[in-house]
Amino acid sequence: MCTKRPSGPFFFGGSQHWSSTDWTSSDDRVRGGSSQSHLTINDDTNTATFHGNLDIKTLGGAGFASQHTASTTDLWDLSSYAGLELSIPKSDGHTYTLNLRDELQDPRPDGRQRSGLVWEAKFKVEKGQTKVKLGWREFRPTYRGREVHMGRPLILAGVKQFGIMIRSFFGEQEGDFELEIEWIRGIKKEKDRYRDDPNDFEDHEEYYDEKHFSDDQESKGLGWLCCW
């Protein structure tokens, strides 16, 4: 039986407090690697810091570290949004991915999560940038880190897992990493907004017009064998 989580616009942070018990690690150590990740919560600022060490030597140039929501019964309905936006007060210039799953397999006998379809959107926070917007078309279906061609889209009304990941991209990045996240929220669809309302003083940055999103902006799959 699924437990419906708040329908937003804030899914983590903002009006929803971060909690370390909501998240768990999934690093390449499950495949014999040495990378490790942590999610540290600052209750004073209501922020979460994804940090750790990305090792590529143990697995010969490959490696990944990730945190994902721990519950197997939570359910998020993202269908009323055009994508997701992240507020990033601090980053280190590495490339990260935000991951979504709409189905979870039963765990292995040893308790490890089984591989399954994951929709991934990669992003890099440039210098001076504090917000990242990811439209749904930027989330690419992958299996074990490699992009696959699917006959169905992500079931936005039935998302069962969020995740944040860093991977080596076969030796392109390694070492210590740190990404501070203030919040993750849904981006309102342009059609849901009454633009001529003189009393509308909301932050215009949270709106997203999918018509202006070109194919050239779509993420390219950067695959690597992982446990997602």
Side-chain angles (χ1 to χ4, degrees):
M1 183 174 180
C2 291
T3 303
K4 280 197 171 184
R5 295 294 298 266
S7 57
F10 291 98
F11 299 106
F12 303 96
S15 59
Q16 304 295 324
H17 288 288
W18 288 94
S19 173
S20 58
T21 59
D22 288 343
W23 297 78
T24 187
S25 63
S26 181
D27 305 325
D28 61 22
R29 288 177 292 173
V30 299
R31 298 187 180 277
S34 301
S35 300
Q36 58 181 344
S37 69
H38 310 277
L39 193 75
T40 301
I41 309 302
N42 186 326
D43 291 325
D44 293 334
T45 59
N46 192 26
T47 57
T49 300
F50 174 56
H51 62 104
N53 182 268
L54 180 64
D55 174 78
I56 66 172
K57 296 180 177 61
T58 304
L59 296 177
F64 71 89
S66 71
Q67 293 277 323
H68 63 76
T69 48
S71 173
T72 59
T73 59
D74 284 349
L75 185 74
W76 289 267
D77 184 354
L78 311 184
S79 59
S80 61
Y81 299 99
L84 295 173
E85 182 179 18
L86 294 81
S87 176
I88 310 289
K90 181 181 179 181
S91 183
D92 53 14
H94 284 126
T95 297
Y96 294 88
T97 62
L98 183 65
N99 300 336
L100 300 174
R101 297 182 70 158
D102 61 11
E103 59 180 3
L104 299 176
Q105 289 73 30
D106 292 333
R108 298 176 184 273
D110 60 6
R112 289 191 299 160
Q113 185 177 35
R114 294 183 186 275
S115 299
L117 286 173
V118 183
W119 273 259
E120 300 184 1
K122 64 184 179 72
F123 65 92
K124 181 178 181 180
V125 182
E126 303 295 343
K127 186 176 181 180
Q129 182 184 15
T130 59
K131 301 289 193 303
V132 173
K133 289 185 177 182
L134 301 169
W136 297 135
R137 293 175 67 183
E138 294 182 74
F139 286 83
R140 316 300 291 183
T142 65
Y143 181 75
R144 289 188 171 181
R146 296 190 181 278
E147 186 172 341
V148 297
H149 297 286
M150 289 296 300
R152 69 169 181 86
L154 171 67
I155 302 174
L156 293 172
V159 171
K160 296 182 178 180
Q161 190 177 91
F162 278 76
I164 183 75
M165 173 183 281
I166 184 170
R167 59 161 58 98
S168 68
F169 299 121
F170 290 105
E172 290 185 12
Q173 53 185 18
E174 63 176 311
D176 293 340
F177 62 88
E178 183 174 346
L179 180 75
E180 183 181 13
I181 308 172
E182 182 181 11
W183 43 254
I184 300 174
R185 71 180 180 183
I187 304 171
K188 291 183 179 179
K189 295 179 180 179
E190 186 72 16
K191 66 180 181 180
D192 293 335
R193 181 183 175 204
Y194 179 40
R195 301 181 68 94
D196 296 328
D197 184 352
N199 297 314
D200 181 6
F201 296 110
E202 293 187 48
D203 180 6
H204 292 184
E205 291 301 315
E206 72 175 291
Y207 296 95
Y208 183 90
D209 187 352
E210 289 182 307
K211 298 189 297 295
H212 297 156
F213 185 80
S214 68
D215 290 340
D216 292 339
Q217 292 173 282
E218 291 186 4
S219 301
K220 304 299 182 183
L222 294 175
W224 190 77
L225 183 67
C226 72
C227 65
W228 277 75

